[in-house]
Amino acid sequence: MDKILEAVVMSSYPNNVKQGLVRRVIEAAKQPMDSEQCWSMLELSTKLYLLGDTKYKREIGKEVLEVYGHYHPEEFEEFFNVRFLLSLLQEGYGPLGKRSHYVLDYIQLGLQFVLESPSANSIFGLLRIEVLRKVCERPSPKQCAKISKLLIQHPQCIPVGKHQVLFCQQLIRCIRQFQCVSEGEEDIMEFLEQVNKVSGLLQRIWRTQTSVILPSLKELFTIISSTEEQEAPSNALASVVQFVPLELMDGVIRNLTNDDSITDVQMMTAIGRMIDWVSWPLGKNIDKWIIALLKGLAAVKKFSILIEVTLSKIEKVFSKLLYPIVREGALSVLQYMLLSFQHSHEAFHLLLPHIPRLVVSLKKEDSNSATSSLEQLAELIHCMFFRFSGFPDLYEPVLEAIKAFPIPNEDRIKYLLGQNAWTSQKNELACFYPRLASKSETGKIGLINLGNTCYMNSIIQSLFMASDFRHSVLNLTEGNSQPLMTKLQWLFAFLEHSQRPAISPESFLSASWPPWFTPGAQQDCSEYLKYLLDRLHEEEKTGKRIYQKLKESSLMSQVVEHHYLNKTLIEKMFGGKMMTKIRCLKCLNVSSREEAFTDLSLAFPPPDRHVRGSTSVLPVEEIGPQFIEPPENPSHLTGSPWIRRKAPMAGDPAALPMPVETLSFQEPGEAANPLSGNAVGVDAAKDPLSAFGEQATAPKDSRSVPDLINYFLSPERLTAENKYHCEKCASLQDAEKVAELTEGPHYLILTLLRFSFDPRTMKRKKILDNVSIPVVLKLPILVAPKETEEVCQHGKDRPAPGGGFTSVVYDLCSVVVHSGISSESGHYYCYSRECTDTIPHGQPQDGAPKPASDKQLDFEIQWYLFNDTRVSFSSFESVSNVTSFFPKDTAYVLFYRQRPGRQSCPLHEALAEASCLHGEPSLHKDLMEAISKDNILYLQEQEKEARNRAAYISALPKSPLWWRDFDRDKDDDNSSGGCSPAAGGGGSGTFHGLVF
């Protein structure tokens, strides 16, 4: 039968005739036959399959093999033995010089018929060894794809144990040399399919044996970091990276960047070749790995590598934006490279000649991908304009090209630049192209984030920028018994005098960390602040205080000295007092209780309650509140002297109601009259509703800080389940409760209660309402009758006879912002400025305040943005608009500083006197020595790093700065941006250039 089949196949009959005859032979083969006949047919079908010179002959060989495998399994197993397979794999099949290329296909075909045979394990064992040997011989992409196809279909043949690790490493070595020898599009697609099969095998192995991944990646890095090989490794290696689980990224990058055995030249070579992978059209997550490695290098301050790689590769990455298939990944890498390269304009300026042509090309493409990329590119360019201003001639053509796209606001630009910078401190790059000043441009020092400790960093920076508090802490004497305050003193001293760009607050964190906080988790900064102030207060209160500077002031009377020295530092700086009064609506008895506070927690009014113009702070007890939320049933309040429906008549000795106010700014030289501008004065208070409505600065539908304070100070009805137990009535009665501020703190801390518990989700939700923040605030403070004379002497608003409210002016000095939607997540940063006295302590005889300088409390006072290690210049405009630009970024904790006035005069005068006599606080010897030693150490570290980097850069090979993607077709006037076609993807030559 084998002779008949061979004669039919070799005959010159038409294929349809041959096919009929072959069908008969195949049908006959399904019948029982002797072993010798089966063997002959198997030999013939093997010959046809392996050596057939036409596809038709190979198909006949395949059909015959499958029939004998199904219907004569014993004979097939005897034929398809280990020795025969070993001969095929080691010696090949066919005459010398014309060995068959289908051996692996043949083995894969036959394996399916011997899987259950006794010899299966022997065959699998043989193949495990032979496939390893095969890949060590560096087969072609086509043969590697066949090996991969065989092993994916029959995973029993994959090497195991140490051989499996070696197999994966050698397979990666094979991919390293993959090259597509043809520029035809069909050949390229076939090549890509072959590469995908090989990388798919690696994925299959990694899924089942994760322990193989890291050795495989180590081999990959060895290949791409090699500087000895003349030929660059194939970009097909990108297909390997796409299957590495992203959860391993952080560990892999950390190990690479901290491996001392990897030289800078090797690392630069590796990252440069990885950036070339953006050309690989089918890779996933390639851009994520490239950016992660760049960030990892920045984290370990390998700036020389980053600079060299960026300058040599950024044009090539930019050119890939022309190709839709790789555009998304290329744009991600380009964004990071540009936004992180902030020490010099050099990288951005390399792209300027290419940008207009690219914009034209993408506009012609007119696709969603092109439009989206243009919008992102325009935003990126505006960021660069903002960062590197002063080149109008260079930027004009680019600006013209992108004029149709929106310009991002300044906060957005600062955010992008801040999030991607290699380092927040420019002096770390001082040894490179531009020579920069030490620290940041601001002169301020950042705090290192120790793992979700931004809540602490923002609070520490806010306290540090409270200059009166900072000076008091730095003036503390040596050898005190307040360990936490001492650590704060050391931290403030390093923030003031260190040469480092950022310092670690690790020691202070461990000392001030609330025991119920979860390590490594995000926490509530307000909760931390309250705990910190309470700890510092209690520590000093228990006899361990060391603050004695005010006692040395000879200007203070013994009574005042006794009053202030009996207070702790926290009480002096942040302590205020509040009187809570409750009036029974039946017997009209009033009970009151005064308590101290260090911050005011301001709740948001219900959505249906309009605070502005409907409530006011309570005046003194005898008069009662002037404006209370009208009850649902007014008859319940008839005849109650606690409520007055109209303003007091002229001549009435009652105090006037005084709502919380904001102040307007006066021109330099004008008297700083607290009643000037839109402030509510005595006359205006006759119609407090209209007056308060006029001075509101917030949009109609938004809240303001005065709104929240007025809501906090407005009367509260105690009814139903909240009835008040009246001692006089000896029963539960309806009542009204009101809070009155009786002593304003030197630093007023306001916490906006943005986090509330949602019983439906059982989680704390965040109120994202925008709250306008006044830069100047007038707070009503209740004045006792005996203090009236003192108030007048200090130029304050004159209260009514018998006591009343007076305004105390506060200036905004810090705003802690929470970015996120939950208190358990997100990020904290703060805006701060240093507020100092602008009104001299000695007032003229006529009582009219005079400005201390032309620099009034306005926008001229410099604001700073503290974001962990990054410190930058900012503005009150940025503070005011942060929520408008970023809805999840909302003001959370506010610090206001009291201007000199009635209550704070002794403290202000003592602080001013100390400042005049001593200037900046002098540190004790141990602290000065510690800072000096650390500064010397830091300078030595910088000097050593600078020498190493200089030696490294001089030893680097020169990298090409110009790529020819844009210039290849520069003589073709019809080409868009120097690339064809305009849509970025048409011809096979272009596609080949993209990939290879």
Side-chain angles (χ1 to χ4, degrees), residues 267-314:
M267 183 63 76
M268 190 199 73
T269 303
I271 187 61
R273 286 169 174 168
M274 284 183 67
I275 291 174
D276 289 342
W277 292 350
V278 297
S279 301
W280 187 254
L282 302 178
K284 298 177 181 179
N285 300 324
I286 302 301
D287 56 323
K288 293 183 177 64
W289 281 95
I290 294 172
I291 293 172
L293 184 52
L294 291 172
K295 288 183 176 179
L297 291 172
V300 295
K301 306 189 186 310
K302 297 284 188 178
F303 301 126
S304 53
I305 299 176
L306 292 168
I307 290 171
E308 184 72 19
V309 167
T310 301
L311 293 177
S312 64
K313 297 295 184 181
I314 195 166

Side-chain angles (χ1 to χ4, degrees), residues 646-671:
K646 61 181 180 179
M649 302 295 291
D652 191 333
L656 293 170
M658 186 172 294
V660 178
E661 306 169 10
T662 58
L663 288 181
S664 63
F665 302 115
Q666 63 271 6
E667 293 296 327
E670 285 187 21

Side-chain angles (χ1 to χ4, degrees), residues 19 37 64 108 176 234 265 344 348 350 463 582 599 611 664 766 773 834 919 943:
Q19 190 65 31
Q37 183 63 42
V64 174
Q108 181 179 344
R176 178 229 173 276
S234 171
V265 174
S344 166
F348 175 53
L350 286 175
L463 293 175
I582 302 179
D599 80 310
V611 175
S664 63
K766 181 178 178 181
I773 305 170
E834 293 200 51
E943 183 180 357

Side-chain angles (χ1 to χ4, degrees), residues 764-831:
R764 292 178 73 192
K765 65 178 182 179
K766 181 178 178 181
I767 301 172
L768 294 172
D769 295 1
N770 192 3
V771 177
S772 63
I773 305 170
V775 71
V776 182
L777 190 69
K778 285 180 70 176
L779 201 66
I781 303 297
L782 184 63
V783 182
K786 64 181 180 180
E787 298 179 271
T788 302
E789 185 72 21
E790 185 181 354
V791 171
C792 297
Q793 291 176 0
H794 287 93
K796 303 301 293 185
D797 297 346
R798 179 186 296 272
F805 286 99
T806 185
S807 292
V808 176
V809 181
Y810 282 90
D811 300 304
L812 182 67
C813 53
S814 287
V815 179
V816 178
V817 177
H818 177 264
S819 176
I821 58 174
S822 167
S823 62
E824 290 81 22
S825 62
H827 180 62
Y828 288 100
Y829 55 92
C830 73
Y831 294 93

Side-chain angles (χ1 to χ4, degrees), residues 847-902:
K850 290 175 60 179
S853 68
D854 289 337
K855 206 170 196 182
Q856 296 298 315
L857 285 175
D858 55 16
F859 298 108
E860 293 180 23
I861 299 180
Q862 181 63 57
W863 282 88
Y864 303 93
L865 174 58
F866 294 89
N867 191 347
D868 290 333
T869 56
R870 180 176 181 263
V871 187
S872 58
F873 289 116
S874 190
S875 64
F876 181 68
E877 182 181 6
S878 178
V879 178
S880 303
N881 296 331
V882 63
T883 306
S884 301
F885 295 131
F886 308 104
K888 295 179 183 178
D889 292 27
T890 53
Y892 184 37
V893 179
L894 313 177
F895 288 73
Y896 281 87
R897 180 184 184 272
Q898 185 182 148
R899 287 190 188 177
R902 170 185 61 84

